[in-house]
Amino acid sequence: MTAPTHPTTAVHRTAEGNPAETTPRTTDRPSSPGSFGAFVSAARRAGRLVVQPRMGMSDPRAMRAGLAATRAADATTVGTVTLDSYTRVGDQAAARRALAEGVPLNGYPLVTYDTAVTRSLLDGIQDPAFPVQVRHGSAAPQDIVAALLLAGLDATEGGPVSYCLPYGRTPLATSVENWTRSCELLARTRDHGADPHLETFGGCMMGQLCPPSLLVALSVLEALFFAQHGLRSVSLSYAQQTDPVQDEEALHALRRLAEELLPELDWHIVVYTYMGVYPRTPDGARLLLEESARLAVRTGAARLIVKTAAEAHRIPTVRENVAALEAAARAAEAEAARALPTAAGQIAGLPMAAGQIAGLPMAAAGPAPDTGIHAEASALVQAVLEISPDLGRALPQAFERGYLDVPYCLHPDNAQRTRSYLDTDGRLRWSEIGAMPLGGIVELAHEPRLTSSGLLTALRHVERRFDAAALDPSPTHRPLDDGHRPPVRTALSEEGR
């Protein structure tokens, strides 16, 4: 199903961060001009990938300087205010004590600071040409949502599943209730002319070793949950995994499901640069970041959350964040330029890839090989929706029945009957599916039981591959998406069984 088009206005920004001329455009279900969703949609129509850092400092002056540097970067950027761990778990008393004692926190304590402090921090920086998103990691975000709205912000992220299962022991049903109230609070701002934006985190579950079909299904289900509770502008996340071809297939599957199930919403896809064990060499980290940017361009994603060369060692500086933003932007531009002949051929009459906008090289030239990711994700989504049309009821019951089951997730509400592994080509596959409704869809491999040694090897697969490529740029170690395929990689070590 294709949504009707409506006129809207594209807001662009010059390299200096100032508003440029606006150009009338059309888009599917547009967000209000000036909103987070509208900015990202306008950038995508212009053929520019929006890049975004992870960034949060407890000192308001440092946080303001970080946002200003992000805005001034030579890239199309949006800002990030990442909150601290005390705020994430609702321990405002501890946050107040830390501030009183001059102890730096690992993020911005939004709820603890007076609203005037945050408004002053944002004044002159946040505007329609530079929207800002709050990131937090909370299973109980009601106070966070209230605080960000009071400060003049209306974009955030997370989800009832993705900000519950990996982060603590909050019962899933409680998280669902908390997120219901938070979504409804955000959605009520639409009555006052705002167009709040909410991004799923379901496509990033556990960071690594979760097969793509489950990531896609969780991202779609959380977006449906947001829509059920009144949100009309959403983004669907997907974290880069271990194999670029598999990731392309997953992102095409995510787009297909969003087109089928979210036809009335303004939505876009956001790719996360790899969230697992990161390369230790600066060049290895750069290669991985660039691969994520090319992946985003090839699959028509509109936004990329970057990581820096410091990722394996420490919290990055503002300067390192800006360098990552600009490196990702250059890689995206190069990939888009490389795709221009293909796009021209499509405009001449050849079929266009799903989601591609005429005249722009922001989608893959053709579909990735179909290995069943869309079929698996569709089966998971359908099984949850058949429990109840109310996702507030369906999601907890789906985990209780094992229809959704995240491998290696130790949360009490997760059945813990599924397992994944890396095959000899470095692709994520299921070895055990538990009670998930994937029988007859997934071909299970008869792999030896994964040992602690094998798990550690799998966790470091991407780190080792990109560090090897940085140290030895021969075809054997060349990154997989630059037009060459290396020899088949060795299977995971099972020593120590």
Side-chain angles (χ1 to χ4, degrees), residues 209-211 214 380 402-409 414-421 429-438 449:
L209 297 188
C210 186
L214 182 54
L380 294 171
Y403 292 178
L404 298 175
D405 189 348
V406 181
Y408 311 112
C409 176
N414 190 57
Q416 303 179 44
R417 293 176 57 198
T418 61
R419 286 292 181 268
S420 64
Y421 72 101
R429 296 184 61 187
W430 293 106
S431 56
E432 300 177 32
I433 59 173
M436 292 197 305
L438 299 179
R449 185 172 181 83

Side-chain angles (χ1 to χ4, degrees), residues 285-421:
R286 175 184 54 80
L287 289 172
L288 182 53
L289 171 65
E290 290 173 348
E291 182 170 288
S292 70
R294 290 191 293 268
L295 172 69
V297 171
R298 288 197 307 275
T299 56
R303 186 159 51 98
L304 175 71
I305 309 293
V306 308
K307 281 199 170 185
T308 73
E311 200 68 38
H313 308 286
R314 54 176 168 75
I315 295 174
T317 64
V318 171
R319 185 185 298 272
E320 287 164 336
N321 267 302
V322 171
L325 294 169
E326 294 178 344
R330 300 295 83 77
E333 290 164 1
E335 182 67 18
R338 190 177 68 83
L340 275 171
T342 299
Q346 290 171 330
I347 294 168
L350 297 177
M352 297 180 72
Q356 182 163 349
I357 295 174
L360 298 175
M362 291 298 288
D370 184 357
T371 66
I373 293 175
H374 179 266
E376 293 174 31
S378 296
L380 294 171
V381 171
Q382 187 61 34
V384 176
L385 295 178
E386 287 176 356
I387 295 174
S388 171
D390 178 0
L391 282 162
R393 293 180 54 203
L395 284 170
Q397 289 186 36
F399 277 94
E400 183 179 347
R401 299 179 187 183
Y403 292 178
L404 298 175
D405 189 348
V406 181
Y408 311 112
C409 176
L410 302 180
H411 191 281
D413 289 333
N414 190 57
Q416 303 179 44
R417 293 176 57 198
T418 61
R419 286 292 181 268
S420 64
Y421 72 101

Side-chain angles (χ1 to χ4, degrees), residues 153-231:
L153 297 164
D154 59 13
T156 187
E157 46 76 61
V161 175
S162 58
Y163 269 5
C164 176
L165 265 62
Y167 287 100
R169 299 178 67 84
T170 301
L172 180 57
T174 301
S175 178
V176 167
E177 292 173 3
N178 294 336
W179 273 90
T180 295
R181 292 195 290 272
S182 300
C183 289
E184 291 171 351
L185 181 59
L186 269 173
R188 283 201 294 272
T189 65
R190 298 180 67 241
D191 297 336
H192 304 284
D195 198 358
H197 183 88
L198 193 49
E199 171 194 321
T200 73
F201 198 69
C204 306
M205 183 66 68
M206 303 300 289
Q208 60 186 117
L209 297 188
C210 186
S213 59
L214 182 54
L215 299 178
V216 169
L218 288 171
S219 200
V220 170
L221 287 166
E222 287 193 329
L224 288 168
F225 178 90
F226 297 163
Q228 178 181 307
H229 294 291
L231 276 302

Side-chain angles (χ1 to χ4, degrees), residues 426-452:
R427 297 169 64 94
L428 280 163
R429 296 184 61 187
W430 293 106
S431 56
E432 300 177 32
I433 59 173
M436 292 197 305
L438 299 179
I441 302 175
V442 171
E443 181 179 348
L444 296 177
H446 300 290
E447 288 291 305
R449 185 172 181 83
L450 190 64
T451 65
S452 58

